[in-house]
Amino acid sequence: MTDSSQQTPAEDETELSSLRKRVAELELALGEHQALESSFRGFMLLRSEGVVRYDGEPKLPIDWPARRQAEFLLDHVVVAECNHAYARLYGLERAEQMVGASMCGNMAGTREEKIARLCDFVRAGYRVADFEILDVDRRGRKMWTSNTIIGVIEKRHLIYAWGLQRDITAEKEKLLTLQQSESEVQRRAEQLAGEVALQKQFAENVLRSIADGVFTIDARHRITSWNPGAEAITGLSGSDVIGRPCGEVLHSDWCDDRPLCDSLGCPADRACATRRPSPRIEVTPSYRDGRKVVMSLSAAPLLDERGEPAGAVCVFRDVSRERELLTSIQRANEAKSLFLANMSHEIRTPMNAILGFSQLLLKDRALGPTQRQHMDTIVRSGQHLLAVINDILDMSKIEAGRVELSVAAFHLRSLVSDMAAIFRLRTNAKGLLFRVEIAENLPFVVRGDGDKLRQIFSNLLGNAIKFTERGHVIWRLRGERVSDGAWRLLVDVEDTGLGIPAADLGRIFDAFFQTAAGVRTGGGAGLGLAISRELVRLMGGTISVDSEPGKGSCFHVAVRLEEGDAALATGIDPARRVVGIRPGQAAFRVLVVGEAGDGPELLVPMLDAVGFETRQVAEQGEVLPVFEEWAAHAVFVDVTARAPRGGAVVERVKASTRGKRTPVVALVGRDNQAERQRAVAAGADDVVGVPLRRPEVFEKLWACLGVEYVYLRSDATGRSGAGGPLTLLSLRDILAAAPAVLTDGLRDATTAGDFDRMLLLIDRITVYEPRAGVALRALADGFEYQQLLDTLPPRGET
Ligand code: ADP
């Protein structure tokens, strides 16, 4: 230091000015420092994170052991200053409220836990970034903070420390959830991997243990796996075949570097193209040892993660033995059917003798009552046996594939009317109501096999009557045009009989199947429905049944028929004009109930004109007494709006004993469905629409009474009876015109029971008169010898 008293004034002046300069410099530095400090504090206040300065006295020597330093920090270091954001972080309003609080005052945990955390800070050299601490605010809420703390060290002492703090609770929670879901995903993945492994093991075990051959191929048809089943069938091991094209390995007859193929192409390719398993095919590959094996094979596609085919899995089975068995069964069956079909003639000849002659014997007046009874039994048993034999032969012919459709044009409605008349006799005999419901759209002339159709209907109607003791049998027919020139014929046969148990419904169309009730009722071999089903199939149709035991059954048939040409049709044309009743028949009495209107008023003269006997009674008149006393054969009742009590009349007539056996036809408004339904509900057997149509009226009477008409012939040159209904009477007329040598010959052959000669002569007669030929053939086939003889003109008459 210089002694100022010994200095010269100049020297003093110099020193002073240097001091002034130093002071000015210091002031400047201080100003700068203050400016810096105030801008720092401004920065501190503005920050959204907490900014804090920790300080404590005395200053902490950093050479102390870490734990001691940590304890010092805990006990002596406090918040010296901070911003509002720091105070708010811990739930206080203002920064000043935090000042003086312990540095670790907000930290959660025990003293030891806090010391451990502070030791980390000490060991990091008082410099930590993003140091995560679990804190508790003044309201007791736990929160995670991220801390960046930098200590200021001078002369190996901690002077103070700056800290930056941020609440990271939300981020931490998000992270935690993320970690949790990550671990959940991990757990699920592990579980799935376990399941996949299990399934793989399962699949491997299945593949190892099944007898079927299973192999996989890649997109280039190279074998990638080959199970023991495949080894056993082909005799080739996995190591022989893996990596080779399957076509080469399996040596299929059709394979050309492809897998087992059929004429339609490779099944694996097909499966890949359609993304679906290919249908089973049979192939016959041969092996190097020359063995040929029939294999049933199918393939399914293997798809990659994009759903694209990456290969296929093929399953095959050796079916050589099954094929052999099936072929031999088929051959045996065909031989049996062929034998039975050929036996037809052999069986029918002795039947001819039994039935034909017993019928002739019945005519013998010399027979006593007991003998007559015995003969009757022989005829009935013979007829039953014949029916069963015929069914068996028909079935055999079907099985041998020897049944073909014989298609021709015919009058469908005539066929129905013919059959209705026959079956009505049977329903009448059993006291059943029989109703034929013919829809207006039923075609008149169609092309199809009329005889087979007749056989189907006969079986269904016969069964309905056989299995019904009371109630009704309804035969419903309607047509549906399917295209130009084609019809679908829809037929129901409904009865109120025994019904069929649900368990039997699935087998009812099987050959020889009969329900328990069917067996009890007897009179059949369980073949009728099987034959019907085959015939319906032959016609491209379907047959089904609905039934409830105790309530009844309804059989449904649908077959396809073609539009027919009326000019070529057989059977009578119902639309032809009726001009009279053929002589030689008993009188037909028709009772008409109702007075006014174009129904009853027109009906009576229409019927009178052709020769029916008629009586007309008002609906409120004495209907029943007249009906009973006069013994009417048929009753027409007006039930249209003009005759409000018509329905009640129908009910009364049908309730009487005689009424049950007598056809009652209701006159209803044409196309009036409600009236039609009311009439049917009241018990009417049939309905006819008003305004009346002549052909329809005569057709109904023909169907229910079997009356034979005389027609106004349009073809005057035609032979007698050619267009009329084919009945015994008309047949007799036709045959009267046939050459006597044929009819006499037929008479002789019939009385001699010479079946072959009968058929020969009938064939000859057919050349002259086809319709008579068909009828005679039917009589001969049914062994109706007496009827056949009755139709022949007396010897030498022609
Ligand atoms: P079956 O000659 O015995 O009548 P089907 O093949 O015609 O032979 O009929 C087979 C069996 O189906 C009959 O025995 C009978 O049990 C049952 N069945 C057929 N139709 C009917 C029906 N309408 N009602 C009740 N059962 C029927």
Side-chain angles (χ1 to χ4, degrees):
M1 204 198 263
T2 43
D3 187 353
S4 59
S5 58
Q6 290 171 3
Q7 285 184 124
T8 61
E11 279 172 338
D12 284 345
E13 194 52 36
T14 312
E15 191 172 347
L16 194 62
S17 95
S18 108
L19 274 173
R20 271 201 204 101
K21 197 171 155 201
R22 177 83 185 122
V23 167
E25 274 172 13
L26 282 173
E27 273 174 351
L28 191 68
L30 186 68
E32 272 174 11
H33 180 78
Q34 278 170 342
L36 199 67
E37 195 171 302
S38 81
S39 72
F40 177 72
R41 285 191 204 292
F43 159 79
M44 196 166 98
L45 282 174
L46 282 174
R47 295 295 299 183
S48 59
E49 300 111 317
V51 183
V52 57
R53 188 169 66 78
Y54 302 113
D55 206 343
E57 287 300 333
K59 299 299 174 199
L60 168 64
I62 61 165
D63 295 327
W64 283 0
R67 183 176 169 89
R68 198 164 161 210
Q69 288 182 59
E71 281 172 348
F72 183 90
L73 287 172
L74 187 63
D75 298 333
H76 299 285
V77 176
V78 295
V79 174
E81 58 184 320
C82 66
N83 65 357
H84 296 312
Y86 181 81
R88 277 198 291 276
L89 211 55
Y90 294 102
L92 295 174
E93 272 302 303
R94 307 192 48 74
E96 299 78 50
Q97 292 172 284
M98 269 317 271
V99 174
S102 159
M103 176 188 186
C104 302
N106 301 316
M107 208 190 274
T110 60
R111 181 177 171 77
E112 272 312 306
E113 283 165 350
K114 288 181 187 178
I115 289 173
R117 211 76 189 96
L118 287 168
C119 280
D120 293 339
F121 176 48
V122 173
R123 287 196 193 102
Y126 293 102
R127 281 179 168 267
V128 285
D130 299 327
F131 191 60
E132 285 178 8
I133 296 173
L134 183 64
D135 280 340
V136 193
D137 74 3
R138 296 294 157 107
R139 292 186 212 97
R141 179 180 77 101
K142 288 210 166 139
M143 61 179 178
W144 282 97
T145 52
S146 165
N147 298 267
T148 298
I149 309 172
I150 294 165
V152 179
I153 313 280
E154 271 178 26
K155 295 187 187 137
R156 307 212 56 77
H157 280 79
L158 175 71
I159 305 304
Y160 55 80
W162 281 106
L164 265 180
Q165 253 154 351
R166 198 157 56 82
D167 182 353
I168 56 161
T169 315
E171 289 164 38
K172 205 72 185 156
E173 272 168 7
K174 235 188 251 167
L175 197 71
L176 214 70
T177 347
L178 212 66
Q179 277 168 351
Q180 266 170 2
S181 63
E182 232 173 57
S183 71
E184 176 60 17
V185 169
Q186 176 78 12
R187 198 185 58 76
R188 188 79 193 107
E190 278 163 15
Q191 192 182 351
L192 280 176
E195 280 169 21
V196 168
L198 227 107
Q199 279 183 7
K200 196 167 162 230
Q201 209 181 353
F202 172 72
E204 277 169 4
N205 283 342
V206 170
L207 288 181
R208 255 199 296 277
S209 53
I210 58 170
D212 284 7
V214 183
F215 66 94
T216 51
I217 52 171
D218 62 14
R220 290 162 54 219
H221 297 295
R222 286 180 195 279
I223 296 176
T224 47
S225 72
W226 186 256
N227 82 332
E231 285 188 6
I233 297 171
T234 61
L236 300 166
S237 74
S239 54
D240 289 340
V241 301
I242 287 178
R244 289 169 56 198
C246 54
E248 177 193 311
V249 169
L250 290 162
H251 290 271
S252 167
D253 283 350
W254 303 279
C255 281
D256 169 20
D257 194 29
R258 299 314 295 285
L260 290 168
C261 303
D262 65 355
S263 51
L264 295 172
C266 161
D269 281 350
R270 254 195 294 162
C272 290
T274 57
R275 308 267 204 285
R276 291 225 199 107
S278 67
R280 280 196 166 273
I281 56 161
E282 269 180 23
V283 291
T284 321
S286 48
Y287 297 106
R288 280 192 206 103
D289 58 8
R291 234 174 358 122
K292 262 193 187 284
V293 183
V294 183
M295 275 188 194
S296 160
L297 177 136
S298 68
L302 290 173
L303 305 177
D304 66 14
E305 61 284 357
R306 286 167 294 133
E308 294 302 319
V313 53
C314 304
V315 181
F316 63 96
R317 178 183 303 169
D318 181 354
V319 290
S320 316
R321 181 91 192 104
E322 286 165 37
R323 281 295 141 266
E324 258 172 43
L325 274 175
L326 210 65
T327 315
S328 60
I329 289 171
Q330 262 165 1
R331 274 203 209 109
N333 208 25
E334 273 163 24
K336 179 211 76 183
S337 297
L338 209 64
F339 169 75
L340 278 173
N342 289 336
M343 281 298 285
S344 167
H345 186 255
E346 313 307 316
I347 296 173
R348 292 177 70 94
T349 307
M351 279 310 292
N352 153 55
I354 300 166
L355 267 176
F357 286 120
S358 35
Q359 281 184 39
L360 292 181
L361 270 175
L362 267 174
K363 285 266 169 184
D364 192 339
R365 283 165 209 255
L367 282 187
T370 321
Q371 289 158 318
R372 190 170 291 280
Q373 223 175 17
H374 291 165
M375 283 312 300
D376 257 346
T377 312
I378 292 176
V379 171
R380 259 186 289 110
S381 312
Q383 278 166 342
H384 175 72
L385 185 61
L386 179 68
V388 172
I389 289 172
N390 278 342
D391 275 357
I392 293 177
L393 293 177
D394 275 352
M395 198 65 213
S396 311
K397 268 198 214 151
I398 288 171
E399 284 180 352
R402 289 179 40 171
V403 173
E404 281 170 9
L405 290 183
S406 140
V407 176
F410 64 95
H411 284 284
L412 176 60
R413 288 182 176 227
S414 307
L415 180 147
V416 173
S417 304
D418 275 348
M419 292 188 69
I422 295 164
F423 282 94
R424 194 177 297 284
L425 296 176
R426 291 213 228 157
T427 49
N428 284 349
K430 271 189 110 170
L432 299 173
L433 196 143
F434 181 44
R435 206 161 63 223
V436 186
E437 291 177 16
I438 300 179
E440 277 176 19
N441 67 358
L442 189 76
F444 282 83
V445 178
V446 289
R447 264 175 67 75
D449 191 328
D451 286 340
K452 301 220 167 47
L453 213 51
R454 199 183 285 266
Q455 199 176 347
I456 296 165
F457 295 154
S458 289
N459 177 252
L460 297 183
L461 290 168
N463 279 348
I465 298 170
K466 183 161 69 171
F467 296 111
T468 305
E469 288 312 318
R470 74 181 72 83
H472 66 238
V473 171
I474 299 176
W475 188 18
R476 259 183 233 108
L477 300 107
R478 68 193 162 91
E480 220 178 62
R481 207 171 249 295
V482 280
S483 64
D484 255 11
W487 286 90
R488 183 177 295 120
L489 172 63
L490 298 162
V491 183
D492 294 341
V493 176
E494 182 187 298
D495 65 55
T496 50
L498 294 175
I500 300 159
D504 291 341
L505 281 177
R507 302 168 59 198
I508 202 80
F509 295 101
D510 289 353
F512 301 108
F513 181 81
Q514 291 182 300
T515 61
V519 175
R520 270 199 309 281
T521 310
L527 279 174
L529 287 180
I531 293 171
S532 299
R533 180 177 61 178
E534 294 309 319
L535 295 181
V536 165
R537 278 184 182 162
L538 211 59
M539 295 184 198
T542 56
I543 182 166
S544 60
V545 60
D546 297 320
S547 185
E548 206 175 317
K551 292 214 165 148
S553 314
C554 188
F555 284 81
H556 314 280
V557 173
V559 287
R560 199 183 143 91
L561 295 169
E562 286 163 43
E563 185 96 55
D565 180 350
L568 302 172
T570 59
I572 76 142
D573 178 351
R576 293 188 56 196
R577 191 167 179 82
V578 173
V579 291
I581 292 177
R582 187 176 288 278
Q585 303 171 82
F588 293 104
R589 292 185 290 275
V590 181
L591 178 62
V592 178
V593 182
E595 279 175 309
D598 46 4
E601 269 180 14
L602 283 182
L603 185 59
V604 174
M606 192 191 290
L607 296 181
D608 286 345
V610 297
F612 283 97
E613 286 182 21
T614 58
R615 278 216 195 166
Q616 191 171 5
V617 183
E619 53 163 325
Q620 60 278 64
E622 298 283 276
V623 179
L624 271 189
V626 176
F627 167 63
E628 301 270 1
E629 280 158 28
W630 191 48
H633 295 113
V635 186
F636 279 82
V637 183
D638 186 5
V639 301
T640 58
R642 285 173 191 275
R645 269 175 259 155
V649 171
V650 173
E651 275 174 18
R652 259 186 288 138
V653 172
K654 287 313 286 186
S656 70
T657 319
R658 190 183 175 82
K660 284 197 179 59
R661 286 184 278 113
T662 309
V664 173
V665 182
L667 303 181
V668 299
R670 190 163 287 284
D671 302 326
N672 186 330
Q673 289 304 326
E675 270 179 22
R676 175 179 290 257
Q677 279 163 7
R678 269 204 303 281
V680 169
D685 297 283
D686 210 339
V687 295
V688 61
V690 177
L692 295 173
R693 289 183 188 153
R694 271 179 66 94
E696 199 181 355
V697 170
F698 290 122
E699 189 194 358
K700 302 269 174 194
L701 279 167
W702 178 42
C704 54
L705 300 177
V707 50
E708 296 173 23
Y709 297 120
V710 176
Y711 294 86
L712 178 70
R713 303 294 307 276
S714 51
D715 53 339
T717 54
R719 273 186 298 275
S720 151
L726 199 61
T727 61
L728 286 184
L729 283 175
S730 54
L731 193 56
R732 199 177 293 160
D733 282 357
I734 296 168
L735 289 174
V741 337
L742 295 182
T743 49
D744 287 347
L746 182 55
R747 172 183 301 283
D748 294 340
T750 310
T751 25
D754 185 344
F755 195 61
D756 290 341
R757 186 159 170 69
M758 281 166 73
L759 294 186
L760 190 82
L761 287 162
I762 291 171
D763 281 350
R764 292 228 194 117
I765 293 172
T766 311
V767 176
Y768 283 87
E769 178 45 74
R771 294 182 62 223
V774 172
L776 288 174
R777 180 71 203 234
L779 288 175
D781 281 345
F783 302 109
E784 305 281 2
Y785 284 12
Q786 192 54 54
Q787 282 201 16
L788 198 153
L789 289 177
D790 289 347
T791 62
L792 295 177
R795 187 178 297 282
E797 201 180 66
T798 54

